[in-house]
Amino acid sequence: DARVQLKNVSKSYDGTTFAVKNASVTIEPGEFFVLVGPSGCGKSTLLRMMAGLEKITAGRLEIGDELANDMPPNKRQLSMVFQNYALYPHLTVEENILFGLKVRKVSKSERNRRCLEAVEMLGMTEYLKRKPRELSGGQRQRVALARAVVSHMPICLMDEPLSNLDAKLRGQMRAEIRQLQQELGITMIYVTHDQVEAMTMGDRIMVLKEGEVQQIGRPMDIYNDP
Ligand code: ADP
Ligand code: ADP
Protein backbone atom coordinates (compact mmCIF):
# COMPACT_ATOMS: atom_id res chain seq x y z
CA ASP A 1 0.00 0.00 0.00
CA ALA A 2 0.92 3.66 0.12
CA ARG A 3 2.52 3.86 3.58
CA VAL A 4 6.11 5.13 3.83
CA GLN A 5 8.12 4.42 6.94
CA LEU A 6 11.53 5.72 7.96
CA LYS A 7 13.32 4.09 10.86
CA ASN A 8 16.43 5.91 12.03
CA VAL A 9 17.40 6.81 8.48
CA SER A 10 20.76 8.58 8.09
CA LYS A 11 22.80 9.80 5.15
CA SER A 12 26.44 10.79 5.00
CA TYR A 13 27.96 11.82 1.66
CA ASP A 14 31.51 12.11 2.99
CA GLY A 15 31.62 9.49 5.77
CA THR A 16 32.06 12.04 8.55
CA THR A 17 29.21 14.58 8.47
CA PHE A 18 25.50 13.74 8.23
CA ALA A 19 23.15 15.38 5.70
CA VAL A 20 20.30 13.46 7.42
CA LYS A 21 20.60 12.00 10.91
CA ASN A 22 18.28 9.42 12.53
CA ALA A 23 15.04 10.43 10.80
CA SER A 24 12.02 8.37 11.86
CA VAL A 25 8.38 8.77 10.82
CA THR A 26 5.41 6.82 9.48
CA ILE A 27 3.65 8.61 6.62
CA GLU A 28 0.11 7.26 6.30
CA PRO A 29 -1.72 6.41 3.06
CA GLY A 30 -3.58 9.44 1.68
CA GLU A 31 -1.65 11.88 3.85
CA PHE A 32 -0.22 15.20 2.60
CA PHE A 33 3.14 15.23 4.37
CA VAL A 34 5.48 18.22 4.11
CA LEU A 35 9.25 18.32 4.75
CA VAL A 36 10.25 21.89 5.60
CA GLY A 37 13.39 23.72 6.71
CA PRO A 38 16.07 26.11 5.43
CA SER A 39 18.33 25.39 2.46
CA GLY A 40 20.84 22.67 3.26
CA CYS A 41 18.86 21.06 6.12
CA GLY A 42 18.55 17.73 4.28
CA LYS A 43 15.05 17.85 2.72
CA SER A 44 16.10 16.87 -0.79
CA THR A 45 18.44 14.20 0.49
CA LEU A 46 15.61 12.60 2.47
CA LEU A 47 13.24 12.75 -0.52
CA ARG A 48 15.87 11.37 -2.89
CA MET A 49 16.50 8.43 -0.55
CA MET A 50 12.75 7.64 -0.66
CA ALA A 51 12.90 7.80 -4.46
CA GLY A 52 15.96 5.54 -4.59
CA LEU A 53 18.09 8.27 -6.19
CA GLU A 54 20.42 8.41 -3.19
CA LYS A 55 21.77 5.49 -1.18
CA ILE A 56 20.78 5.20 2.50
CA THR A 57 23.81 5.12 4.82
CA ALA A 58 22.01 3.65 7.85
CA GLY A 59 18.47 2.80 8.98
CA ARG A 60 15.42 1.33 7.25
CA LEU A 61 13.08 2.65 4.58
CA GLU A 62 9.82 0.76 4.09
CA ILE A 63 7.37 1.40 1.25
CA GLY A 64 4.14 -0.48 1.90
CA ASP A 65 5.29 -3.53 3.82
CA GLU A 66 8.54 -3.91 1.91
CA LEU A 67 12.06 -2.99 2.92
CA ALA A 68 13.03 -0.53 0.18
CA ASN A 69 16.63 0.44 1.07
CA ASP A 70 18.02 -1.30 -2.01
CA MET A 71 14.93 -1.38 -4.21
CA PRO A 72 15.61 0.11 -7.67
CA PRO A 73 13.81 3.44 -8.33
CA ASN A 74 11.52 1.97 -11.01
CA LYS A 75 10.27 -0.74 -8.65
CA ARG A 76 9.04 1.82 -6.09
CA GLN A 77 5.33 2.60 -6.37
CA LEU A 78 5.90 6.33 -6.61
CA SER A 79 6.12 9.26 -9.01
CA MET A 80 8.31 12.33 -8.60
CA VAL A 81 7.96 16.00 -9.60
CA PHE A 82 11.15 18.07 -9.71
CA GLN A 83 11.83 21.75 -9.11
CA ASN A 84 12.87 22.39 -12.72
CA TYR A 85 10.04 20.13 -14.07
CA ALA A 86 12.55 17.99 -16.05
CA LEU A 87 10.57 18.17 -19.32
CA TYR A 88 12.12 17.00 -22.61
CA PRO A 89 12.44 20.18 -24.74
CA HIS A 90 12.19 18.36 -28.10
CA LEU A 91 8.98 16.47 -27.16
CA THR A 92 5.43 17.86 -27.22
CA VAL A 93 3.35 18.21 -24.08
CA GLU A 94 1.53 14.98 -24.94
CA GLU A 95 4.77 13.09 -25.58
CA ASN A 96 6.24 14.41 -22.34
CA ILE A 97 3.20 13.28 -20.37
CA LEU A 98 3.19 9.81 -21.95
CA PHE A 99 6.93 9.10 -22.10
CA GLY A 100 7.05 7.15 -18.84
CA LEU A 101 4.04 5.01 -19.74
CA LYS A 102 5.52 4.11 -23.12
CA VAL A 103 8.69 2.96 -21.40
CA ARG A 104 6.57 0.84 -19.06
CA LYS A 105 4.75 -0.70 -22.04
CA VAL A 106 1.28 0.56 -21.12
CA SER A 107 -1.03 0.01 -24.15
CA LYS A 108 -1.73 2.88 -26.53
CA SER A 109 -5.45 3.08 -25.71
CA GLU A 110 -4.76 3.09 -21.99
CA ARG A 111 -2.07 5.78 -22.46
CA ASN A 112 -4.50 8.00 -24.34
CA ARG A 113 -7.23 7.46 -21.78
CA ARG A 114 -4.93 8.45 -18.90
CA CYS A 115 -3.53 11.43 -20.80
CA LEU A 116 -7.00 12.85 -21.49
CA GLU A 117 -8.03 12.35 -17.88
CA ALA A 118 -4.90 14.16 -16.63
CA VAL A 119 -5.03 17.13 -19.01
CA GLU A 120 -8.73 17.61 -18.28
CA MET A 121 -8.01 17.69 -14.54
CA LEU A 122 -5.27 20.26 -15.11
CA GLY A 123 -6.94 22.35 -17.82
CA MET A 124 -4.24 21.56 -20.38
CA THR A 125 -6.29 19.94 -23.18
CA GLU A 126 -5.54 22.76 -25.64
CA TYR A 127 -1.79 22.52 -25.23
CA LEU A 128 -1.10 18.86 -26.09
CA LYS A 129 0.74 19.60 -29.35
CA ARG A 130 2.93 22.40 -27.99
CA LYS A 131 6.58 22.19 -26.99
CA PRO A 132 7.65 23.16 -23.44
CA ARG A 133 9.28 26.40 -24.69
CA GLU A 134 5.87 27.52 -25.98
CA LEU A 135 4.35 27.32 -22.49
CA SER A 136 4.28 29.64 -19.48
CA GLY A 137 5.92 28.61 -16.22
CA GLY A 138 2.60 27.61 -14.71
CA GLN A 139 1.72 25.51 -17.77
CA ARG A 140 5.07 23.69 -17.62
CA GLN A 141 4.36 22.99 -13.99
CA ARG A 142 1.00 21.48 -14.97
CA VAL A 143 2.69 19.21 -17.53
CA ALA A 144 5.01 17.94 -14.79
CA LEU A 145 1.97 17.31 -12.58
CA ALA A 146 0.14 15.54 -15.43
CA ARG A 147 3.09 13.20 -15.81
CA ALA A 148 2.75 12.21 -12.16
CA VAL A 149 -1.04 11.83 -12.52
CA VAL A 150 -0.87 9.44 -15.51
CA SER A 151 1.59 7.16 -13.69
CA HIS A 152 -1.28 6.06 -11.40
CA MET A 153 1.24 5.58 -8.59
CA PRO A 154 -0.16 5.63 -5.04
CA ILE A 155 2.67 7.84 -3.74
CA CYS A 156 3.93 11.16 -5.16
CA LEU A 157 7.14 12.95 -4.18
CA MET A 158 7.55 16.67 -4.96
CA ASP A 159 10.78 18.62 -4.52
CA GLU A 160 10.10 22.39 -4.33
CA PRO A 161 7.74 22.22 -7.33
CA LEU A 162 6.58 25.86 -7.08
CA SER A 163 9.84 27.70 -6.46
CA ASN A 164 10.18 28.85 -10.08
CA LEU A 165 6.76 30.51 -10.16
CA ASP A 166 5.74 34.05 -9.17
CA ALA A 167 3.90 34.60 -5.89
CA LYS A 168 0.39 34.81 -7.35
CA LEU A 169 0.69 31.64 -9.40
CA ARG A 170 2.30 29.88 -6.46
CA GLY A 171 -0.79 30.49 -4.35
CA GLN A 172 -3.04 29.15 -7.10
CA MET A 173 -0.88 26.06 -7.71
CA ARG A 174 -0.78 25.23 -3.99
CA ALA A 175 -4.56 24.92 -4.05
CA GLU A 176 -4.49 22.92 -7.29
CA ILE A 177 -1.91 20.45 -6.00
CA ARG A 178 -3.80 20.00 -2.75
CA GLN A 179 -7.05 19.38 -4.68
CA LEU A 180 -5.35 16.97 -7.06
CA GLN A 181 -3.90 14.98 -4.17
CA GLN A 182 -7.33 14.67 -2.55
CA GLU A 183 -9.11 13.72 -5.78
CA LEU A 184 -6.56 11.03 -6.50
CA GLY A 185 -6.39 9.89 -2.87
CA ILE A 186 -2.62 9.50 -3.10
CA THR A 187 0.06 9.88 -0.44
CA MET A 188 1.98 13.12 -0.99
CA ILE A 189 5.48 13.81 0.31
CA TYR A 190 6.24 17.45 -0.44
CA VAL A 191 9.49 19.38 0.07
CA THR A 192 9.56 23.15 0.54
CA HIS A 193 11.65 25.79 2.32
CA ASP A 194 8.55 28.01 2.52
CA GLN A 195 6.87 27.88 5.95
CA VAL A 196 3.61 29.37 4.67
CA GLU A 197 3.45 26.70 1.99
CA ALA A 198 4.08 24.00 4.61
CA MET A 199 1.41 25.36 6.95
CA THR A 200 -1.27 25.79 4.28
CA MET A 201 -0.70 22.51 2.44
CA GLY A 202 0.36 19.91 4.98
CA ASP A 203 -1.81 17.51 6.97
CA ARG A 204 1.41 17.02 8.93
CA ILE A 205 4.76 18.72 8.75
CA MET A 206 8.28 17.52 9.53
CA VAL A 207 10.64 20.35 10.45
CA LEU A 208 14.30 19.63 9.70
CA LYS A 209 17.32 21.52 10.97
CA GLU A 210 20.89 20.64 10.05
CA GLY A 211 19.84 17.11 9.11
CA GLU A 212 17.91 16.41 12.29
CA VAL A 213 14.17 16.14 12.81
CA GLN A 214 13.09 18.97 15.10
CA GLN A 215 9.33 18.48 15.10
CA ILE A 216 6.61 16.42 13.48
CA GLY A 217 3.00 17.54 13.83
CA ARG A 218 -0.11 19.15 12.43
CA PRO A 219 0.24 22.77 11.30
CA MET A 220 -1.63 24.08 14.37
CA ASP A 221 0.57 22.11 16.78
CA ILE A 222 3.71 23.48 15.16
CA TYR A 223 2.25 26.99 14.96
CA ASN A 224 1.55 26.95 18.70
CA ASP A 225 4.94 25.51 19.60
CA PRO A 226 7.49 26.90 17.14
P1 ADP B 1 18.00 20.86 1.24
O1 ADP B 1 17.22 20.06 0.24
O2 ADP B 1 17.28 20.99 2.55
O3 ADP B 1 18.44 22.17 0.70
P2 ADP B 1 20.09 18.94 0.78
O4 ADP B 1 19.51 17.62 1.09
O5 ADP B 1 20.19 19.35 -0.65
O6 ADP B 1 19.30 20.04 1.63
O7 ADP B 1 21.53 19.04 1.44
C1 ADP B 1 21.81 18.62 2.77
C2 ADP B 1 23.31 18.66 2.96
O8 ADP B 1 23.91 17.65 2.17
C3 ADP B 1 23.96 19.98 2.56
O9 ADP B 1 25.01 20.23 3.45
C4 ADP B 1 24.48 19.70 1.15
O10 ADP B 1 25.58 20.48 0.85
C5 ADP B 1 24.84 18.22 1.26
N1 ADP B 1 24.69 17.52 -0.04
C6 ADP B 1 23.55 17.42 -0.77
N2 ADP B 1 23.76 16.68 -1.88
C7 ADP B 1 25.06 16.32 -1.85
C8 ADP B 1 25.88 15.57 -2.72
N3 ADP B 1 25.39 15.02 -3.85
N4 ADP B 1 27.18 15.39 -2.35
C9 ADP B 1 27.66 15.93 -1.21
N5 ADP B 1 26.94 16.64 -0.36
C10 ADP B 1 25.65 16.85 -0.66
P1 ADP C 1 18.27 22.21 -3.20
O1 ADP C 1 18.65 23.09 -2.05
O2 ADP C 1 17.01 22.62 -3.85
O3 ADP C 1 18.37 20.76 -2.87
P2 ADP C 1 20.91 22.48 -4.22
O4 ADP C 1 21.38 23.61 -5.07
O5 ADP C 1 21.32 22.36 -2.81
O6 ADP C 1 19.34 22.46 -4.35
O7 ADP C 1 21.30 21.10 -4.92
C1 ADP C 1 21.18 20.89 -6.29
C2 ADP C 1 21.87 19.58 -6.64
O8 ADP C 1 23.25 19.62 -6.22
C3 ADP C 1 21.25 18.37 -5.95
O9 ADP C 1 21.24 17.30 -6.87
C4 ADP C 1 22.18 18.06 -4.80
O10 ADP C 1 22.20 16.67 -4.49
C5 ADP C 1 23.52 18.53 -5.33
N1 ADP C 1 24.36 19.06 -4.24
C6 ADP C 1 23.99 19.88 -3.25
N2 ADP C 1 25.00 20.15 -2.42
C7 ADP C 1 26.06 19.45 -2.91
C8 ADP C 1 27.41 19.30 -2.50
N3 ADP C 1 27.89 19.89 -1.40
N4 ADP C 1 28.21 18.53 -3.26
C9 ADP C 1 27.74 17.93 -4.35
N5 ADP C 1 26.48 18.02 -4.78
C10 ADP C 1 25.65 18.77 -4.08
Side-chain angles (χ1 to χ4, degrees), residues 130-158:
R130 295 219 192 159
K131 297 278 178 67
R133 67 167 179 278
E134 300 165 319
L135 301 176
S136 70
Q139 291 166 339
R140 284 178 205 167
Q141 172 61 56
R142 289 193 180 86
V143 177
L145 295 177
R147 203 167 38 186
V149 170
V150 298
S151 74
H152 283 197
M153 292 296 173
I155 301 165
C156 184
L157 310 183
M158 295 196 180

Side-chain angles (χ1 to χ4, degrees), residues 13 19 37-46 54 191:
Y13 289 101
S39 182
C41 72
K43 306 180 295 293
S44 291
T45 298
L46 200 47
E54 210 67 77
V191 163

Side-chain angles (χ1 to χ4, degrees), residues 10-111:
S10 297
K11 173 71 183 182
S12 179
Y13 289 101
D14 59 12
T16 53
T17 60
F18 283 90
V20 172
K21 202 169 172 181
N22 273 326
S24 295
V25 66
T26 301
I27 301 167
E28 298 294 344
E31 188 171 26
F32 200 114
F33 192 85
V34 178
L35 308 177
V36 70
S39 182
C41 72
K43 306 180 295 293
S44 291
T45 298
L46 200 47
L47 200 73
R48 291 166 61 82
M49 288 194 284
M50 295 181 201
L53 302 174
E54 210 67 77
K55 208 170 152 39
I56 294 172
T57 307
R60 283 173 72 87
L61 167 69
E62 292 174 22
I63 301 176
D65 294 326
E66 277 191 89
L67 179 65
N69 287 43
D70 299 314
M71 193 185 277
N74 62 356
K75 296 278 185 254
R76 300 176 189 218
Q77 293 291 305
L78 50 84
S79 60
M80 189 154 178
V81 175
F82 296 93
Q83 182 171 16
N84 58 8
Y85 317 138
L87 303 179
Y88 295 106
H90 58 291
L91 299 183
T92 65
V93 165
E94 183 173 27
E95 289 162 345
N96 266 288
I97 291 173
L98 293 178
F99 186 82
L101 297 186
K102 239 176 152 168
V103 171
R104 287 193 286 124
K105 307 249 189 290
V106 174
S107 73
K108 186 148 199 255
S109 61
E110 175 66 10
R111 291 203 299 268

